[in-house]
Amino acid sequence: MAGKPKLHYTKGRGKMESIRWLLAAAGVEFEEEFIEKKEDLDKLLKGGVLMFQQVPMVEIDGMKMVQTRAILSYIAGKYNLYGKDLKERAWIDMYVEGTTDLMGMIMVIPLQAADAKEKQLALIIERATTRYFPVYEKALKDHGHDYLVGNKLSWADIQLLEAILMTEECKPDILSAFPLLQAFKGRISNIPTIKKFLQPGSQRKPPPDDKYIASVRKIF
């Protein structure tokens, strides 16, 4: 039997967090080897295991996978979270790209100067409430199902919940105008594997603080 997937990244969210979410939701136990200093990254680089000299890197099924999107789609396909046919996969991809864009906007906030942070926060709230969340609210309304695609849990649902929780960290009442997304958040949060991941002590990472940002700047 193959060993647990091993995740190589810093001890924070970043681009690895969606991978942690997806594995956890699929009920897959995984190990983490943290990059805590520049020497840890140099060792990986010298070992030739980072195809494009970047992390995240995930060891899974005998592969050393890089590129976040490739890793996520492999895990989604392997654990039956990627739709039943090409059309469903295309919808999942579109929904995932939307949440990826929104989360990407949030991820840059800790790296910005104080005056830029306020503008970025305002932009996130505006985009979340006028560009992104209305799409998911409409999707749930139009087909009347509990999930975004095919009335079955998929990668799209898992990443939407992650995006919702990240956006609520920016503005706690961000879902006030989206009743179907509020209900969706409650449903998906209560799926046993996800509920476990949301408990204290899980491998879910907290929002980045100044200490974490300083350590990342030293590594990279």
Side-chain angles (χ1 to χ4, degrees):
M1 186 177 163
K4 295 175 186 175
K6 185 184 277 188
L7 281 50
H8 296 263
Y9 201 67
T10 56
K11 205 171 188 174
R13 287 184 182 174
K15 291 192 170 185
M16 187 64 91
E17 191 70 354
S18 291
I19 296 166
R20 297 183 185 109
W21 265 89
L22 197 56
L23 285 167
V28 179
E29 290 186 9
F30 57 89
E31 297 172 352
E32 299 191 79
E33 193 156 306
F34 295 117
I35 298 165
E36 299 189 76
K37 51 190 185 295
K38 196 170 188 314
E39 290 79 8
D40 298 335
L41 181 62
D42 289 343
K43 188 179 171 186
L44 287 174
L45 290 167
K46 284 173 187 165
V49 296
L50 303 180
M51 188 186 288
F52 299 108
Q53 300 171 34
Q54 293 172 308
V55 288
M57 189 269 277
V58 174
E59 295 184 60
I60 185 169
D61 295 342
M63 295 184 288
K64 290 181 169 66
M65 291 196 74
V66 295
Q67 296 293 11
T68 312
R69 172 79 208 200
I71 297 165
L72 285 164
S73 56
Y74 181 81
I75 293 165
K78 180 178 171 76
Y79 295 105
N80 202 22
L81 294 165
Y82 209 177
K84 69 177 188 300
D85 54 30
L86 271 176
K87 273 194 175 176
E88 286 197 355
R89 190 165 288 201
W91 279 105
I92 289 166
D93 284 341
M94 286 191 282
Y95 289 140
V96 162
E97 289 297 331
T99 46
T100 300
D101 289 348
L102 178 57
M103 292 192 296
M105 293 172 69
I106 297 169
M107 278 183 212
V108 300
I109 286 184
L111 303 168
Q112 293 180 318
D115 55 339
K117 281 181 185 178
E118 280 190 35
K119 286 181 187 171
Q120 183 72 1
L121 195 57
L123 182 63
I124 288 161
I125 292 163
E126 189 266 328
R127 289 276 170 85
T129 53
T130 64
R131 179 180 293 189
Y132 295 109
F133 288 163
V135 169
Y136 302 105
E137 183 82 2
K138 184 176 186 297
L140 293 166
K141 184 182 179 184
D142 286 353
H143 61 51
H145 292 155
D146 285 350
Y147 306 103
L148 287 170
V149 179
N151 201 23
K152 181 178 180 294
L153 182 70
S154 76
W155 172 20
D157 301 301
I158 297 157
Q159 195 158 301
L160 175 56
L161 177 61
E162 182 189 2
I164 286 170
L165 296 180
M166 279 179 78
T167 316
E168 284 182 333
E169 288 169 356
C170 299
K171 189 174 192 289
D173 66 346
I174 195 93
L175 291 186
S176 59
F178 304 101
L180 297 180
L181 282 180
Q182 289 175 41
F184 170 88
K185 175 191 161 188
R187 275 196 309 277
I188 306 301
S189 296
N190 274 303
I191 292 168
T193 51
I194 294 174
K195 190 173 183 178
K196 185 180 175 186
F197 188 61
L198 292 172
Q199 299 301 312
S202 81
Q203 286 166 295
R204 185 182 178 215
K205 302 297 179 272
D209 57 16
D210 291 343
K211 186 182 173 187
Y212 172 69
I213 295 300
S215 73
V216 167
R217 288 191 197 278
K218 282 182 186 172
I219 294 165
F220 296 104

